[in-house]
Amino acid sequence: MTEKVPGIEEAVEPPASSQTSGDVPHNMETEQMTPTEYYSIISRNGVGTTGKCIPLLVNLFKVAVNAPDTVFFQYSVTITLEDKRAVESKGIGRKVIDRLYQTYSSELGGKRFAYDGGRALYTVGPLPLNKYEFKVLLEETFTKCSSESPGANGGLREETKRSKHSFVSKTFIVEISFAAKIPLQYIAIALSVVESDANSQDALRVLDTVLRQRAANCGCLLVRQSFFHDDSRNFTDVGAGVTAVQGFHSSFRPTQRGLSLNMDMSTTMIIKPGPVIDFLLSNQQVKEPRYIDWAKAQKMLKNLRVQATHRHQEFKISGLSEKPCIQQLFSMKVKNDNGNNGGQTVDITVYEYFAKHCGIELTSSAYLPCLDVGKPKRPNYLPLELCSLVSLQRYTKVLSPMQRASLVEKSRQKPHDRIKILKNAVGNYCYDDDPVLAACGISIEKQLTLVEGRVLEAPKLKVGKNDDCFPHNGRWNFNKKTLLQPSHIEFWAVVNFSASCDTSYISRELIRCGMSKGINIERPYTLIEEEPQLRRSNPVARVERMFDLLTSKLNKEPKLILCVLPERKNCDIYGPWKKKCLGEFGVVTQCISPLKITDQYLTNVLLKINSKLGGINSLLAIEHSGHLPLIKDTPTMILGMDVSHSSLGRSDIPSIAAVVGSRHWPLISRYRASVRMQASKVEMIDALYKPLENGSDDGIIRELLLDFYESSNGRKPTQIIAFRDGVSESQFKQVLDIELNQIIKAYQHLGEVNVPKFTVIVAQKNHHTKLFLANGVENVPPGTVVDTTITHPRNYDFYMCAHAGMIGTSKPVHYHVLLDEIGFSADGLQNLIHSLSYVNQRSTTATSVVAPICYAHHAAAQMGQFLNFDDLSETSSSPASEGNIPIPELPRLHKNVRSSMFFC
């Protein structure tokens, strides 16, 4: 029997909004907006005390600064060739600066320095002069400029005969000029509890540059503050030609305890080194070269570096030849009687050239395209079998679900193993011996920091029949329990894109399991199987045909469509199907691809279905009774905000901004999402407030505010708690100045004069601080929180590990409170955040981050698949086209599902 919850109507199906944009509540018409004030990031106002105390270790190593009066001198560095062309490559820049030090050490007063690989160089104390200009001679083998390979103007370039052992000298002009003084004392100021000094970041940047330079000198791949050695023992194959390489992250951080070194294990993806042919076979998952899609291969290989194994020379790939090696012609000058290349020009194939002039009989790649390692108008061809991919080349695309699963499986690491590795790393890298750090009097302890944490009590939940549910170790289940507000599914359909699933059996089992959970599910009105001949069609055509079949069978709109997909992960039907159902048809849909039908699997599916249809699976007991502190008496809206970016290196794919807002106050477990597209890689959400030429607002916040008003019995939010995911510390002020400002403008645009009180919290998951039990080998228990010792010396932040870490080492979420006008106590805010990890309606485990952020992430990911960006031209991501790429409009949801929790 469906139960009633205080402050909410019976939830069976989310109704369509009864108000149009012109039919807004009283006093919510557009009025002149007053300028909004700018907010400052608040300082800590206390620490929490609730919970059971627990001793913890943290991967922060205490740093002693024995020469705090040290002053760094920053110098600007410009490196050019003799013809004044700028040198942009950081790799070449480091080699030039290394040679400069070797050559001109005495002119520089013997000063050791830290160089960032670009335009900045730092010394401890000043150089003898404020400005220098040096000529630096750098000898290089012909790795970039010559080869025994056929070029457009002849088989061998002029210097080929001596390329194997000869050296060419290049002259670089290096200008060094004084830029600024950076006292190390800035860090001491940051460590105090007085006002913030922004210059402290400059001093920390110098110290981090020293760490990067030390790694670069060892030949490591650098990825921000992480570094990776070229050591196959650290490599893990994750499939499709991608290798995970394990390395370390190291950075200096200010904490309440003082300056600390944050040392952690880090992983990045690289292209699997080795023969190019082997990589392509693995990447495209085919067994023979004849099955390779060469158009895809060209996109994948472009700009990668290869070594020509017959001459041990390195090149960058610019493309593929138009014809196979045995047919690809190029013009070669035949030597005259004097042995010079002044004779006639003849056409010769790449295959013939290598056979006659290099003595190499090509076997496996004669009928395959060649690699083009030349310039656009001057191609230079290399047979595939003679090319091997160089190691440590980053793979910057998003991993497939299968690759990610493989990575997790192969790289999991127990907490005690990680502690041992990190302690060894700090000792082995001997940072104390670095000349720049030694000149600062910096020494680093070799032991992890001991800190006291607290374990918060898990909140009690309410489920069906007014039963209490007590989570244990961050988990609970619905065994012998019913859902709090189950839906009734009387008219629904099943469609099957999979040839291997028995939909009759699935539907019977779903009905049976639903009955045990309190969900009354009638027999499906129709079961539709995909026509076998359509399985090789494109995904959009398959979806359209399925809908044609579906609509021909239905006599009214279904409440639910259960869709059986052929693949569990990465199915190309998923996006078009969701777009059709949610954007055009306006019906709730649940996609499944079961490997095995179990009660646990069916229960998880039913949790999603019930949430999407407007039901409630469980509530916090304190929420169910209407006694949430600071929320129960004051209409409060909770926002979760996230921006999802495309794979790295693609400027042609827009970013997706998603915001979810709570509804049905005083509940904090039900949400509605609003999603928009914005410019690629832009982190600040630009559509929170979006005024149109006609004076109306088409922004995200207006949509969520009106929904809150309609679902909360005509109450307007006077408090707003905003959770923001994915922003770095350097962007915190922008969250207040840009995003909060937009939210306020959207509120004022509705005619409101009194602006709500705001609490703004950033949740960071992409950090390198780990918590370990001081007296155990397991992960820290769920509910662990730390807000002393290792937190920021002044700002209001804390670490919370709300979830139970079952695999590897748990990572806590780093919460930063930027603003708190509502006035939560430290305990009150930490308990609210902890509780919000238990309200995710699609889960029976505590989530690592608060549910509103999880929902925003799911909404962005799901609607991001509405549009297919794979067909965008390769040239659209070139630098010349950046900034001119039109941003497509994301399809809006149908009014029937707009307020549903479709993202569950």
Side-chain angles (χ1 to χ4, degrees), residues 51 90 99 141 168 179 388 624 648 854:
K90 288 190 174 184
R99 178 55 59 90
T141 58
V168 63
S388 190
H624 182 265
L648 299 175
C854 291

Side-chain angles (χ1 to χ4, degrees), residues 596-853:
K596 187 178 180 181
I597 303 294
T598 64
D599 276 4
Q600 182 62 59
Y601 178 82
L602 293 171
T603 299
N604 291 341
V605 170
L606 287 168
L607 291 178
K608 295 182 178 185
I609 291 174
N610 191 53
S611 301
K612 291 175 181 180
L613 293 176
I616 299 177
N617 301 328
S618 63
L619 290 178
L620 301 170
I622 195 171
E623 174 188 17
H624 182 265
S625 62
H627 289 94
L628 280 166
L630 293 182
I631 293 177
K632 61 184 176 65
D633 297 323
T634 309
T636 303
M637 185 180 189
I638 299 177
L639 300 177
M641 306 162 65
D642 185 32
V643 177
S644 175
H645 302 294
S646 68
S647 57
L648 299 175
R650 293 288 300 272
S651 61
D652 55 338
I653 299 182
S655 296
I656 300 176
V659 183
V660 300
S662 62
R663 55 202 312 265
H664 289 290
W665 173 81
L667 298 187
I668 61 172
S669 293
R670 299 191 66 181
Y671 293 83
R672 169 176 173 158
S674 184
V675 186
R676 302 283 194 278
M677 279 193 176
Q678 60 186 40
S680 177
K681 306 296 186 255
V682 173
E683 184 58 48
M684 292 298 111
I685 301 175
D686 62 9
L688 296 172
Y689 171 64
K690 192 175 182 180
L692 303 178
E693 290 182 0
N694 62 8
S696 62
D697 173 20
D698 188 38
I700 290 173
I701 296 301
R702 173 189 172 89
E703 182 181 327
L704 299 179
L705 284 172
L706 292 177
D707 180 75
F708 181 92
Y709 180 88
E710 294 161 10
S711 65
S712 303
N713 299 320
R715 302 297 297 270
K716 306 167 191 175
T718 56
Q719 296 180 156
I720 296 179
I721 304 170
F723 289 97
R724 182 63 161 92
D725 183 37
V727 294
S728 63
E729 292 178 35
S730 62
Q731 297 170 313
F732 286 176
K733 194 68 170 68
Q734 293 179 55
V735 172
L736 298 181
D737 292 346
I738 298 174
E739 294 184 339
L740 180 57
N741 193 26
Q742 283 191 65
I743 294 172
I744 293 172
K745 283 182 178 179
Y747 198 86
Q748 292 174 329
H749 190 275
L750 290 169
E752 292 301 300
V753 177
N754 297 320
V755 174
K757 292 180 179 179
F758 287 93
T759 293
V760 181
I761 303 161
V762 170
Q764 286 183 334
K765 295 172 288 185
N766 189 23
H767 62 85
H768 285 276
T769 303
K770 300 290 195 303
L771 306 177
F772 306 91
L773 290 178
N775 302 314
V777 296
E778 306 88 6
N779 274 307
V780 296
T784 298
V785 62
V786 176
D787 60 359
T788 62
T789 310
I790 61 169
T791 49
H792 195 277
R794 180 183 51 264
N795 294 346
Y796 188 178
D797 68 325
F798 57 90
Y799 294 90
M800 181 178 290
C801 193
H803 66 295
M806 309 305 291
I807 298 175
T809 303
S810 297
K811 177 190 282 190
V813 175
H814 193 184
Y815 288 101
H816 302 260
V817 185
L818 307 188
L819 185 68
D820 183 25
E821 295 179 321
I822 296 176
F824 286 97
S825 66
D827 282 326
L829 189 58
Q830 289 170 14
N831 278 298
L832 174 64
I833 289 174
H834 184 226
S835 295
L836 281 170
S837 296
Y838 283 79
V839 303
N840 192 327
Q841 294 295 296
R842 55 180 273 164
S843 177
T844 54
T845 62
T847 52
S848 61
V849 71
V850 291
I853 285 179

Side-chain angles (χ1 to χ4, degrees), residues 77 79 93-94 97 113-122 209 213:
V77 177
I79 304 175
R94 290 189 187 277
I97 294 300
F113 43 70
Y115 174 56
D116 70 352
R119 299 181 180 275
L121 181 149
Y122 305 97
T209 298
Q213 177 176 270

Side-chain angles (χ1 to χ4, degrees), residues 31 75 193 229 253 255 262 281 288 343 373 402 407 419 482 485 489 512 615 622 634 697 729 740 745 778 837 854 885:
E31 291 184 3
Y75 294 86
V193 292
H229 291 275
R253 294 191 61 83
T255 68
N262 182 200
L281 293 175
E288 298 179 30
V373 295
M402 297 303 292
L407 175 63
I419 290 175
T482 59
Q485 279 191 5
I489 309 173
R512 178 192 60 77
I622 195 171
T634 309
D697 173 20
E729 292 178 35
L740 180 57
K745 283 182 178 179
E778 306 88 6
S837 296
C854 291
I885 302 165

Side-chain angles (χ1 to χ4, degrees), residues 347-367:
D347 286 341
I348 186 173
T349 66
V350 176
Y351 178 88
E352 186 180 359
Y353 169 81
F354 273 90
K356 289 184 177 181
H357 296 271
C358 302
I360 299 175
E361 191 74 28
L362 300 177
T363 55
S364 62
S365 61
Y367 295 93

